Amino acid sequence: QNMSSFALFLVPYTFFIGFILYAILSPPIASSSSLQQGIFLRCLQNLSVHLLGNKATNGIDKIVHQVLYKRSRFFVGVYITLILWGWGVMFVFGYEHIRTDLYGHHDLWPHHKLIGIFVFASCLGSFAGASWSTAGNITPVSLSRYGSCYPYDGVLYFPGRKCSTISGVVRLARSKYDRVTQRHVPRFDHYCSWVDNSVGEENYRFFLLFLVVHTVMLWYGAYIIFRIFRILYKTIESDDNVVFMDRRTGLKVESTSLVILRYLCQRHFALGILAMLLLIMAVMVGLFLMFHIYLTCRGMTTNEFFKWRKVKKFHNRAVQEYNQAAKAGLQTEKMKNSKKDNITISIKELHIGNGDAIVGCTGMSMVAPMKSTMELTRDAKNTQEKIKRSTQNNECTDLALVPLCHPGPMPKNIYDKGIVENLSQVIHPLSLRKEAMDRQASFLNESKKASRE
């Protein structure tokens, strides 16, 4: 009976945690409908249509879209609830098993109580730092401070462009307008719903600290609960007076490892559930931290990472089409002798500049869709077939389908200055260094003098 109650509670709890994890890891939306992307969400949408009808489904869809992809305190509330519940369970049910005196080699040392309080305070402190710190805001006044931090690379960022939303603001390299916070953020990374804040130039270090602290907390908490269960298991195993009875038959049951574990899971149900949650979240948050460490070492942001993926797909497509043209024998003398135009591809055609797409933890949404590898292969085959038909019929080939020159090597990321310098720019942002602050002070002084005159 206890195991049945455990299963009845565990199943809906697991589905709830799975939904939260899927909300984090699911692909970003590409339209105003949040239930139109992803197999799982499409299945939910179809099920809702059959059970509730189109009108109710549209209402649910708007609510989900508002919660997941608009600025709200929903995920902040979920975070605070989970933190307070988890540490409440640990303080009430876990700390009683951390001994205050050392008399057995299986006991936990009492300093873990102080460490736990320190870790709990660190979690709240790192959350406050990531949530309340500013990512930076590019305005006509602060433009002088951010303007010279990063050069334009001619691949993702181009000079001479202005923000289409905020008047008087130039689109600086690595900057982007965040539609959620309605600010033009320097070195924009993404918008994080869990801290309800944009992550950019000036607070990316606090966001990394937030991930590091919570990864350590999750693994540390799972370790402590494992040690507690190990202490309880060893205590029961070594006690010859412990007897287990079957409630249904009233007969004695042999004290096997499985029986002891079943008893511990029933007796300390809250700690068992907390351990499962900690392990799941530790893996997910740890992987997310590794992803951001990789981005930091490569001198990229989340926004730029997904843009570079589009550049790579575009480059591969251009190379594929050029090879198809060369294979069909359509290379002209101009194409063979062209070296000046053989340097790079026209990345501007990608339209992947600083648009107002929402960038979340898993990438961009509301952007022009990029063709998949299967679609690129199909396009190349269609191009080759059209070339063959035109050459067989002695027709003039539509050269718009055929690249006039080789796209050249894949463009490089000029913002990758090496691991040490990349880390230095994160820990001590360029816009907060003395040179940048002096530029802004000089601009403000000149503005005051001009206003007096």
Side-chain angles (χ1 to χ4, degrees), residues 55-303:
K55 188 174 181 179
T57 301
N58 292 334
I60 296 174
D61 186 49
K62 291 180 181 179
I63 295 174
V64 173
H65 178 75
Q66 180 68 30
V67 170
L68 296 182
Y69 302 106
K70 296 291 184 179
R71 189 169 194 179
S72 67
R73 293 284 178 174
F74 175 78
F75 283 105
V76 174
V78 172
Y79 165 80
I80 294 176
T81 301
L82 291 176
I83 285 291
L84 295 180
W85 173 80
W87 280 102
V89 170
M90 178 60 72
F91 291 148
V92 174
F93 300 105
Y95 269 35
E96 64 178 348
H97 300 290
I98 299 178
R99 310 290 183 178
T100 56
D101 55 339
L102 305 178
Y103 60 86
H105 65 281
H106 292 308
D107 293 324
L108 283 168
W109 289 359
H111 62 244
H112 283 293
K113 291 185 176 181
L114 297 177
I115 294 177
I117 296 174
F118 173 76
V119 172
F120 174 65
S122 300
C123 288
L124 296 181
S126 64
F127 170 78
S131 181
W132 296 343
S133 60
T134 176
N137 186 18
I138 300 177
T139 63
V141 176
S142 64
L143 189 63
S144 57
R145 178 156 64 98
Y146 298 110
S148 302
C149 290
Y150 300 101
Y152 294 95
D153 61 354
V155 180
L156 304 182
Y157 307 101
F158 301 90
R161 295 183 176 181
K162 294 185 178 181
C163 180
S164 58
T165 308
I166 304 178
S167 60
V169 173
V170 179
R171 288 183 175 180
L172 300 178
R174 313 194 79 179
S175 69
K176 182 185 176 299
Y177 176 75
D178 182 18
R179 296 183 60 188
V180 181
T181 59
Q182 298 181 353
R183 291 182 177 182
H184 205 92
V185 180
R187 198 183 181 275
F188 179 81
D189 190 271
H190 72 284
Y191 172 79
C192 181
S193 300
W194 292 101
V195 298
D196 189 32
N197 197 9
S198 297
V199 180
E201 168 84 7
E202 297 180 9
N203 68 345
Y204 186 68
R205 47 187 175 166
F206 298 114
F207 179 74
L208 280 181
L209 179 63
F210 172 78
L211 293 180
V212 170
V213 169
H214 281 73
T215 302
V216 172
M217 176 205 71
L218 293 168
W219 284 111
Y220 177 73
Y223 165 76
I224 292 298
I225 295 179
F226 171 78
R227 287 290 304 275
I228 289 175
F229 272 85
R230 185 172 181 269
I231 292 172
L232 297 174
Y233 179 88
K234 292 292 184 181
T235 302
I236 295 175
E237 187 182 42
S238 59
D239 191 349
D240 297 333
N241 296 323
V242 174
V243 177
F244 290 98
M245 304 289 293
D246 191 333
R247 290 184 178 181
R248 293 173 296 180
T249 62
L251 300 177
K252 293 183 179 180
V253 179
E254 184 181 357
S255 300
T256 62
S257 299
L258 181 60
V259 171
I260 297 176
L261 288 176
R262 288 178 59 185
Y263 167 77
L264 291 177
C265 289
Q266 296 174 18
R267 180 68 176 81
H268 306 281
F269 180 74
L271 284 177
I273 291 296
L274 179 59
M276 291 178 56
L277 178 61
L278 288 175
L279 286 175
I280 294 174
M281 295 303 298
V283 174
M284 305 310 299
V285 178
L287 292 175
F288 192 57
L289 172 62
M290 292 175 60
F291 172 69
H292 276 277
I293 292 176
Y294 167 78
L295 293 181
T296 301
C297 295
R298 294 294 303 273
M300 285 190 294
T301 63
T302 302
N303 181 37

Side-chain angles (χ1 to χ4, degrees), residues 29-37 45 58 61-62 65 69:
I29 58 173
S31 67
S32 60
S33 176
S34 59
L35 291 181
Q36 291 180 355
Q37 299 298 318
Q45 186 183 37
N58 292 334
D61 186 49
K62 291 180 181 179
H65 178 75
Y69 302 106

Side-chain angles (χ1 to χ4, degrees), residues 387-432:
I387 292 172
K388 288 181 178 180
R389 288 197 302 268
S390 61
T391 53
Q392 290 175 358
N393 300 330
N394 295 323
E395 297 176 356
C396 180
T397 306
D398 184 4
L399 294 179
L401 297 174
V402 184
L404 295 178
C405 61
H406 192 279
M410 177 69 186
K412 301 296 183 181
N413 178 21
I414 67 172
Y415 306 117
D416 185 3
K417 304 295 183 180
I419 296 178
V420 176
E421 180 61 25
N422 293 339
L423 290 174
S424 174
Q425 292 181 4
V426 169
I427 297 174
H428 191 193
L430 298 180
S431 60
L432 296 180

